[in-house]
C-alpha cells in the first residue's frame, strides 16, 4: 500500500471512530409505550408523590396561568431563547401517559424523554439525577393519577445552533458530580442535603451560570438571575445585614417571612407557599443543611438586628440632606408602616434589615415598590400596596436611592433608572399575560431570596 493510501486509511478510521463516538454520546433508544389503563398505584405512594412534587415545585414550571395543573406550556426564558415546559399529565397523546416508570426515571436521571430525545436543561435533571428510585416511583405514581389534559406545548423558540437537541448530549458531559451522603454528618443534615441538591434544586436559581448555561460549580449558591429578580447568594456571600442561622431559615421557609430578614416575594413566595404544606421535619432539614452552606459569619458580620439598627440610626439626617425628594416620598408613603412598630399585617419590616435594600442591585426592591406584597390567604402575613399606578419612574428611582443611602452602608447603586424602567415593562407584560388567560394576575412581588 502506498504512503498516501495509508494516510487515507488512517483518516477514514479516525472519521469513523469519531462518528461512532458521537453516536454513542448522542443516541438514546426509545422506550416502549405502555397502556395507561393498566396502571394502579397504592394510595400511600401517591400521597408521598404529592409531597415530593410540592417540594420540587413541579406545578410552578408546568402549570401556565389559567391552564390545568401540570399541562405545561410555561415559557422559560434563557439567554439562548425561550423553552416551553412540557405536559406532564397522563394524557396519552400530548402528555406522559404512555411513559413507563423506566422512561420517567430516565428523564429524571438523564434528561432523555421516552422517544429518546434529549431534554433541555431548563428541566433541572442535573439536580433530579440525585432523586432516589423510591422517590421517583412515588412522583411517577402521583403524576399518573392526575387529570389527563390534552395540551401540546408550543414549539421552543431557540436560535441556531441551540435548537439542535443533539448538542445537549455534549452539554451533559460537563455536568459536575452528583450528591452523595456524608457519613460524618447527622441524619437531618443529610436529609436536607438530599432535598436541596436534588428535588428542591435550590442551586438552579441561586447559582450563577456559565456561558453554556450550566451552573458554575465553583460558585455554588453565590446568587443568580431569574425572571428579572436577583436570587441572592445563600452562602457566605449573602448580602443580608443579619446573618442567617437554621432557626431563621426554618421560619422564613415555613412562614414566608422572618422579622430579621423580610418577606419572600415573587416566585420565591411560591416556594415557601409549597413548603408550608410539607412535613416540618423536611423544612427543618433543609434549613439545617443550608445553615451549614452559609457557614459561621465573619466577626464583622456577626451582629444582631439591634446592632444593625443602631449603626444606621445616625444616617437618617445625611440621607435626607442629599436626597430631599426621596426622603419626602418615603415619609409620605413608607414610614407610617415601616417605622410604626405595629405587628403584622400592617407593620412593615425595618428596612435596615432588608436584603432587598442591601443587595448588589436594585431589581428586587424596584419590583417590590412597583407591585407591592400580597398577603398569604388565611394568614396574618406581611402586606404592602404597590405603587406602579401612583408613582412615576422618576419618583420610584428617587425613593430607591434614598432607601439605599438611609438604610444601608453599601455602595450606591448605578443604573437605577434603567432598572426601574425594565421592572415596569416586565410587570406590565406579566399583567397582560394574566389578563389574556382570564385569570387574576399572579403576585408579582413576592420573591426575595435570602
Amino acid at each position: 500500500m502506498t504512503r498516501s493510501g495509508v494516510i487515507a486509511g488512517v483518516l477514514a478510521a479516525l472519521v469513523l471512530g469519531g462518528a461512532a463516538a458521537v453516536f454513542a454520546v448522542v443516541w438514546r433508544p426509545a422506550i416502549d409505550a405502555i397502556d395507561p389503563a393498566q396502571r394502579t398505584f397504592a394510595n400511600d405512594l401517591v400521597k408521598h408523590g404529592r409531597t415530593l412534587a410540592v417540594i420540587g415545585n413541579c406545578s410552578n414550571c408546568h402549570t401556565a396561568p389559567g391552564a390545568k395543573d401540570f399541562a405545561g406550556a410555561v415559557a422559560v426564558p434563557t439567554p439562548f431563547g425561550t423553552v416551553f415546559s412540557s405536559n406532564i399529565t397522563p394524557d396519552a397523546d400530548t402528555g406522559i401517559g404512555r411513559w413507563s416508570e423506566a422512561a420517567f426515571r430516565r428523564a429524571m436521571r438523564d434528561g432523555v424523554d421516552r422517544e429518546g430525545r434529549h431534554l433541555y436543561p431548563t428541566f433541572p435533571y442535573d439536580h433530579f439525577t440525585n432523586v432516589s428510585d423510591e422517590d421517583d416511583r412515588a412522583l411517577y405514581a402521583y403524576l399518573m393519577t392526575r387529570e389527563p389534559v390534552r395540551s401540546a406545548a408550543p414549539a421552543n423558540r431557540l436560535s441556531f445552533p441551540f435548537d439542535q437537541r443533539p448538542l445537549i448530549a455534549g452539554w451533559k458531559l460537563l455536568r459536575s458530580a452528583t450528591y452523595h451522603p456524608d457519613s460524618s454528618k447527622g441524619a437531618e443534615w443529610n436529609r436536607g442535603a438530599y432535598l436541596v441538591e436534588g428535588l428542591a434544586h435550590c442551586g438552579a436559581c441561586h447559582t450563577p451560570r456559565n456561558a453554556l448555561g450550566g451552573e458554575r460549580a465553583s460558585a455554588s449558591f453565590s446568587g443568580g438571575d431569574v425572571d428579572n429578580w436577583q436570587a441572592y447568594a445563600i452562602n457566605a456571600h449573602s448580602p443580608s445585614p443579619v446573618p442567617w442561622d437554621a432557626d431563621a431559615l426554618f421560619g422564613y421557609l415555613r412562614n414566608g417571612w422572618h422579622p430579621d430578614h423580610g418577606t419572600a416575594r415573587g416566585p420565591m413566595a411560591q416556594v415557601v407557599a409549597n413548603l408550608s404544606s410539607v412535613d416540618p421535619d423536611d423544612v427543618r432539614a433543609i434549613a439545617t443543611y443550608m445553615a451549614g452552606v452559609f457557614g459561621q459569619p465573619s466577626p464583622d458580620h456577626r451582629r444582631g438586628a439591634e446592632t444593625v439598627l443602631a449603626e444606621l440610626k445616625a444616617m437618617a439626617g445625611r440621607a435626607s440632606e442629599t436626597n430631599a425628594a426621596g426622603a419626602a416620598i418615603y415619609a409620605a408613603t413608607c414610614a407610617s408602616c415601616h417605622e410604626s412598630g405595629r405587628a403584622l399585617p400592617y407593620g412593615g419590616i425595618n428596612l435596615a434589615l432588608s436584603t432587598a435594600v442591601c443587595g448588589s442591585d436594585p431589581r428586587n426592591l424596584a419590583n417590590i415598590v412597583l407591585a407591592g406584597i400580597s398577603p398569604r390567604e388565611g394568614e396574618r402575613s406581611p402586606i404592602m400596596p404597590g405603587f406602579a399606578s401612583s408613582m412615576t419612574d422618576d419618583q420610584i428611582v428617587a425613593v430607591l436611592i434614598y432607601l439605599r443611602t438611609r438604610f444601608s452602608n453599601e455602595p450606591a447603586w448605578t443604573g437605577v433608572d434603567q432598572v426601574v424602567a425594565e421592572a415596569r415593562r416586565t410587570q406590565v407584560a406579566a399583567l397582560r399575560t394574566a389578563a389574556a388567560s382570564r385569570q387574576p394576575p399572579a403576585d408579582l412581588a413576592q420573591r426575595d431570596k435570602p
Side-chain angles (χ1 to χ4, degrees), residues 139-183:
L139 273 170
Y140 177 75
Y142 174 70
L143 292 174
M144 291 304 164
T145 52
R146 300 308 91 201
E147 176 188 357
V149 180
R150 187 176 180 82
S151 175
N156 296 324
R157 297 196 290 264
L158 296 167
S159 57
F160 182 84
F162 305 109
D163 58 347
Q164 303 300 304
R165 287 183 184 269
L167 291 179
I168 305 171
W171 182 90
K172 292 176 182 178
L173 297 177
L174 304 176
R175 289 187 292 170
S176 58
T178 59
Y179 155 77
H180 297 286
D182 186 342
S183 60

Side-chain angles (χ1 to χ4, degrees), residues 212-293:
L212 296 177
E215 294 178 26
R216 289 169 47 196
S218 62
S220 182
F221 300 115
S222 291
D225 299 299
V226 184
D227 299 340
N228 201 41
W229 289 81
Q230 181 185 26
Y232 296 123
I234 50 175
N235 56 17
H237 302 293
S238 168
S240 174
V242 177
W244 287 90
D245 59 24
D247 289 338
L249 285 164
F250 175 79
Y252 180 89
L253 294 172
R254 188 69 178 170
N255 303 315
W257 74 282
H258 188 276
D260 290 349
H261 296 281
T263 304
R265 300 174 285 270
M268 186 61 193
Q270 299 171 338
V271 173
V272 297
N274 286 339
L275 291 177
S276 69
S277 67
V278 305
D279 189 334
D281 288 345
D282 278 342
V283 182
R284 175 65 68 180
I286 291 172
T288 297
Y289 174 70
M290 287 310 305
V293 172

Side-chain angles (χ1 to χ4, degrees), residues 350-370:
N350 190 307
L351 293 170
L353 304 176
S354 171
T355 308
V357 173
C358 295
S360 61
D361 73 51
R363 279 178 296 166
N364 291 6
L365 190 58
N367 289 331
I368 296 161
V369 173
L370 282 164

Side-chain angles (χ1 to χ4, degrees), residues 294-369:
F294 275 96
Q296 292 297 318
S298 65
D300 290 341
H301 197 203
R302 193 179 291 117
R303 52 188 181 166
E306 292 183 2
T307 302
V308 172
L309 297 178
E311 290 174 352
L312 295 175
K313 186 175 182 180
M315 300 175 64
R318 184 193 70 188
S320 299
E321 292 171 2
T322 59
N323 186 353
I329 295 170
Y330 171 78
T333 60
C334 313
S336 60
C337 287
H338 286 284
E339 297 187 13
S340 67
R342 290 183 293 178
L344 294 175
Y346 303 110
I349 183 177
N350 190 307
L351 293 170
L353 304 176
S354 171
T355 308
V357 173
C358 295
S360 61
D361 73 51
R363 279 178 296 166
N364 291 6
L365 190 58
N367 289 331
I368 296 161
V369 173

Side-chain angles (χ1 to χ4, degrees), residues 112-146:
V112 178
D113 70 7
R114 188 190 69 78
E115 289 81 5
R117 296 175 300 180
H118 291 275
L119 299 171
Y120 287 101
T122 48
F123 176 64
Y125 48 80
D126 51 340
H127 288 272
F128 294 164
T129 190
N130 296 320
V131 178
S132 69
D133 288 351
E134 293 77 10
D135 283 352
D136 274 340
R137 182 171 298 114
L139 273 170
Y140 177 75
Y142 174 70
L143 292 174
M144 291 304 164
T145 52
R146 300 308 91 201

